Amino acid sequence: MRIIILGPPGSGKGTIAEKLAKELKLFHFSPGELLREEVQKQTTLGKEIKQYLDKGELVPNAFVTQLVKLELKNKKNFILDGFPRSLEQAKDIDDLKITIVFAMDVSETIVLKRLAQRRICATGEHTYHRTILPPKKKGICDYDGTKLIQRKDDKPSTIKERFKVYRKETIPVIQYFKRKKLLDIIDGTQDPETVYTTVKRILHT
Ligand code: AMP
């Protein structure tokens, strides 16, 4: 199975992707996560990437597409979380034979409220919400025991910019997959468990 999950920042795509990948044994790839890791390492490349992330802008298409293609090499089953985010990226993976595309639908107002409460672990792999999806022990990741932190790009001004980029660049991608009859829109305002059940029902798994 080859799944794509799209949605604005804070729509819950990462949470759903993480769960699906675990249960269906799919390779999970989120370019955003890998880009943040590179920034953390403070490499020359990381410093360059940081400029885009801090502003909430997309990292150049050619670079991200190359990254995705490298990661997906020889992978039969995967879930792509947050890619493609522009029409150019979508067309560049036309050869990947995608099974289904989920687009999470959530308003900017809800996202702004949600992201103020979002925390990630130090490895960047696991995401929490202080009230809707809290860790078992306050401030500590359930999986790797690292301290939870807030993402730098989760401040209101950057969220607004990321939303703007989403509307301009990613909405056309959603329409593109709709025309290809691969699209399912998911109500992302529901709690994570309900969203997950809906996605699974659509997948017949
Ligand atoms: P995310 O973790 O998916 O919210 O992504 C965080 C940031 O990483 C985005 O705001 C972009 O700067 C960058 N990024 C993630 N995915 C892509 C992509 N497909 N194309 C370009 N930039 C991306």
Side-chain angles (χ1 to χ4, degrees):
M1 205 174 313
R2 299 177 162 200
I3 305 172
I4 287 177
I5 299 203
L6 302 173
S11 58
K13 56 186 188 306
T15 305
I16 299 300
E18 199 181 308
K19 270 188 107 165
L20 270 182
K22 216 169 171 186
E23 196 179 330
L24 305 181
K25 298 190 173 43
L26 305 171
F27 174 70
H28 173 200
F29 185 56
S30 153
E33 209 175 293
L34 193 73
L35 294 169
R36 274 190 296 282
E37 269 172 40
E38 199 58 37
V39 171
Q40 259 186 359
K41 285 191 224 153
Q42 297 186 339
T43 56
T44 311
L45 179 63
K47 284 178 188 157
E48 214 174 297
I49 293 170
K50 186 176 186 301
Q51 295 176 26
Y52 295 97
L53 263 65
D54 284 356
K55 282 190 246 164
E57 288 172 5
L58 292 187
V59 171
N61 287 325
F63 176 74
V64 183
T65 302
Q66 208 183 0
L67 210 67
V68 170
K69 291 211 163 177
L70 264 175
E71 288 287 328
L72 297 187
K73 214 172 165 194
N74 304 325
K75 302 278 188 313
K76 268 200 181 128
N77 298 298
F78 56 77
I79 179 155
L80 267 177
D81 155 13
F83 184 93
R85 261 170 147 108
S86 70
L87 260 188
E88 191 183 325
Q89 292 178 7
K91 288 178 182 166
D92 278 344
I93 56 153
D94 258 346
D95 55 325
L96 285 187
K97 296 193 173 62
I98 298 301
T99 319
I100 191 162
V101 177
F102 292 109
M104 309 288 287
D105 186 25
V106 189
S107 73
E108 186 170 346
T109 319
I110 291 182
V111 160
L112 277 166
K113 271 195 204 149
R114 249 188 210 175
L115 291 190
Q117 301 294 321
R118 172 156 85 177
R119 297 293 180 270
I120 59 167
C121 69
T123 70
E125 278 179 46
H126 307 105
T127 304
Y128 300 87
H129 181 284
R130 287 164 109 187
T131 51
I132 300 171
L133 205 65
K136 292 190 184 97
K137 192 171 165 206
K138 200 177 166 201
I140 303 291
C141 179
D142 292 348
Y143 301 94
D144 49 43
T146 59
K147 251 181 139 173
L148 301 187
I149 49 169
Q150 186 168 32
R151 267 172 59 170
K152 275 217 172 72
D153 58 353
D154 274 353
K155 57 172 193 275
S157 58
T158 318
I159 296 166
K160 278 191 184 241
E161 182 56 31
R162 286 159 70 203
F163 228 95
K164 218 159 93 188
V165 171
Y166 177 76
R167 280 201 201 94
K168 183 165 173 259
E169 304 283 347
T170 314
I171 295 283
V173 176
I174 292 172
Q175 286 156 353
Y176 179 75
F177 287 123
K178 188 176 176 196
R179 285 196 296 275
K180 284 179 167 271
K181 304 209 179 330
L182 288 174
L183 184 74
D184 258 281
I185 295 179
I186 306 290
D187 177 3
T189 58
Q190 297 166 301
D191 65 278
E193 216 34 67
T194 313
V195 173
Y196 189 62
T197 310
T198 311
V199 166
K200 293 249 305 174
R201 198 174 52 236
I202 296 169
L203 291 175
H204 308 293
T205 55

